[in-house]
Structure formats: C-alpha cells, structure tokens
Amino acid sequence: VNRMPIAALALSLALTGCGASGGQDDGAAHIVVTTNILGDVVENIVGDTADVTVLMKRNADPHSFELSAQEADATSQADLIVYNGLGLEEGVQRHVDAAAGRGVPTLAVGDHVSAISFADGDTAGAPDPHFWTDPDRMIAAVDAIETALIEELPDADTEQIATNADAYRARLQELSADMEEQFAAVAPERRQLVTNHHVLGYLAQRYGFTVVGAVVPSGTTLASPAPSDLESLSGAIRDAGVRTIFVDTSQPDRLARALASQSGIEVFVVSLYSESLDEPGTEAGTYIDMMTANTKTIVEGLSAN
Ligand SMILES: [Zn+2]
C-alpha cells in the first residue's frame, strides 16, 4: 500500500486541488480521457484510485467532437491526458497540444499499439487511428496506460492500478479468443468487409478479413465521396459479391443506402458500434460489450446475406 509522506500530500493538494476545473478538491489525481472507448478502458484500470473525466459523449463521432470552454479548461488542468492520437481527434487535438505545452503529461495511446497505415483512399499512407477494433491492440493499449498512470501519478495507489490492469487484460484476452471463435463460423469467401469509412482495418488484419472498400473512401468521417468513388465501389461490391455494408451507428447511412440501390444487387445495410460506445447499460455500453455486439452483427451480416 502506498502512503505518501505528508509533505508530498500537501504539495500534491496545492498543485492539483480545486480551481476552475470544478470540484476536484479531494486531492485525488485527475485524468482526462478524450474518447469514450478509451474512457471505459482507463476507468477499468484506474478504479477508484483517481478521478476520470471523459470528454467525448456517448454515440458521438470521435473524428469531429469538440470541447466546451469548461471542458477545455479541465483538460488544461489535468494531471494526465489520455488520448487516442494517430490523427483521430481532429476537433480536440489543439487542446491536447496546448495542455502539453503547459506541461500537462499526455499519453497518445495509438503510439504504443503497432499502428498500421491506410492502404488507399484520400488518407492513404497516413496512420489508421481505429486500433480498438483489434482487442489484441487494446491489450497493448492497457500496458501503455498502466505504465503512464504509474509514472505520472506516483501518489496514486499504484499496486491497485497494476491489479486492475491485470484483471482487465485477462478479460480482453477472453474477448479476443471469443471473437476468433465466432468469426471462424464465417466462410472464407464471405470474409469481405464494406464499411462507411475505413474503420475496420485492424479487425480485418487480426481476424483474416478483406476490406473491399468504404462508402467514404477515407480514414475520417469528415471526408465525403465523389460520385466516381461510389461508382467504383459499386463495381468492387458486384465483383466481390458482397451483400452487406456496415455503417457506424453514429453516422447517417444515407450514402450506404444510395450505394446499395446503385450497385444493382441486393445489398443489406447493417449498423455497427464501430466508433463510439452507446449509453451505459445498453448492449454497447462498454468496450467489451461493444466488441461482442459487433462480432455477432458481423457474423450474422456476412453469413445470412
Ligand atoms: Zn473513424
């Protein structure tokens, strides 16, 4: 058990206590996390050893969400900022950079997960930020988060953090094995994915799927497709015999439906929780539940149609 010396405690209170960020005056360290997926993971590791604020709302788009002035202020006063990185948080990155410039420790989790790059589309060559679609990458993320918490929050209960991280890693290993077992039911020739933007590259790599294309041929939801993009994707879908297009629950599926009607074959548009958690208590209220729900939806979507 860590008991900090009284002098250190007093100093810690002076540095982190109260202030305009609001109510964090119990001396506990304050961690700010950008996305709700990483927020869930960080909360599992932190337990009650520190306070965690998650900036991204449930069912929001991680590429485009932005901060209120109050949230930006809380971010600038955090003891540690945990963010996805790899270009994901286009609306928030400048706040993370500003806080880092003021000396707030930051962890770009994506820098620790063996990132891959987009193969094609208008973000070809850029790093793919959607590493959470591979639970093995999330285990690497837990390692990085645990290390950062222990390094940056020396006054927190680091033994408890290590115990929590071990327990959560074990659950992720279970998830990874469970997904492998479920996906084994999909015939090899049906392991072809079409999504709204390029969101499942890591899942495809980990579990042996081919990404045929994306309705928005980009690594970000902030891009939009040209008519010629939709035409070439229609052709690819016909050639590959793909029947199911997976769209994100947080994104309008208008384009996918337009493509479906344009491709000349019967195509099904199915929603995945690929970018954001749903409300607590729903089937995608936690990262592990979200991945479990998506696995079931992908297996059904590729097998039935
Ligand atoms: Zn995305």
Side-chain angles (χ1 to χ4, degrees):
V1 180
N2 278 306
R3 293 257 178 254
M4 71 175 92
I6 287 173
L9 177 65
L11 180 64
S12 156
L13 284 171
L15 290 174
T16 65
C18 65
S21 62
Q24 310 292 349
D25 56 358
D26 55 358
H30 185 215
I31 302 156
V32 168
V33 188
T34 55
T35 71
N36 54 40
I37 291 173
L38 284 179
D40 175 45
V41 173
V42 168
E43 281 167 354
N44 271 281
I45 303 170
V46 164
D48 53 13
T49 65
D51 296 324
V52 178
T53 297
V54 181
L55 298 173
M56 177 186 165
K57 307 286 181 290
R58 302 274 173 150
N59 295 305
D61 177 349
H63 298 278
S64 63
F65 79 102
E66 296 190 11
L67 304 189
S68 68
Q70 203 177 9
E71 289 167 331
D73 190 48
T75 302
S76 73
Q77 298 187 43
D79 296 300
L80 173 66
I81 299 171
V82 177
Y83 70 110
N84 190 94
L86 303 175
L88 180 73
E89 299 103 323
E90 295 174 67
V92 172
Q93 186 64 49
R94 66 192 168 90
H95 297 289
V96 174
D97 293 342
R102 293 177 47 165
V104 176
T106 61
L107 172 67
V109 177
D111 292 349
H112 302 267
V113 298
S114 309
I116 56 179
S117 295
F118 291 112
D120 47 33
D122 72 357
T123 46
D128 182 347
H130 306 91
F131 67 83
W132 61 85
T133 65
D134 170 8
D136 292 352
R137 250 70 172 221
M138 194 57 100
I139 292 171
V142 171
D143 295 345
I145 293 166
E146 177 191 15
T147 301
L149 291 172
I150 290 172
E151 273 174 14
E152 302 298 346
L153 312 178
D155 298 334
D157 185 344
T158 52
E159 261 178 60
Q160 187 61 53
I161 289 169
T163 303
N164 294 346
D166 281 343
Y168 194 64
R169 269 188 292 263
R171 293 179 63 202
L172 293 178
Q173 268 148 10
E174 218 171 285
L175 170 71
S176 179
D178 180 58
M179 286 173 65
E180 190 163 335
E181 204 179 307
Q182 304 291 320
F183 286 138
V186 181
E189 69 275 13
R190 284 178 176 258
R191 295 182 172 214
Q192 306 195 87
L193 298 169
V194 177
T195 51
N196 70 322
H197 69 298
H198 286 296
V199 69
L200 294 181
Y202 289 91
L203 182 141
Q205 185 202 46
R206 166 66 179 84
Y207 294 107
F209 289 84
T210 302
V211 177
V212 174
V215 178
V216 181
S218 175
T220 171
T221 55
L222 303 184
S224 56
S228 61
D229 291 330
L230 289 179
E231 256 167 55
S232 66
L233 181 57
S234 292
I237 285 175
R238 263 195 306 273
D239 293 347
V242 172
R243 295 295 189 82
T244 306
I245 299 174
F246 295 103
V247 301
D248 189 84
T249 48
S250 70
Q251 289 294 320
D253 61 0
R254 185 176 54 81
L255 285 170
R257 294 202 178 276
L259 179 70
S261 66
Q262 192 181 325
S263 64
I265 52 172
E266 195 182 10
V267 179
F268 302 87
V269 177
V270 177
S271 291
L272 292 181
Y273 301 98
S274 44
E275 301 240 89
S276 174
L277 301 183
D278 198 354
E279 298 299 334
T282 62
E283 66 166 356
T286 68
Y287 169 68
I288 289 176
D289 284 351
M290 171 186 109
M291 295 297 284
T292 303
N294 286 344
T295 301
K296 185 166 177 279
T297 305
I298 292 171
V299 170
E300 286 172 359
L302 296 181
S303 304
N305 301 320

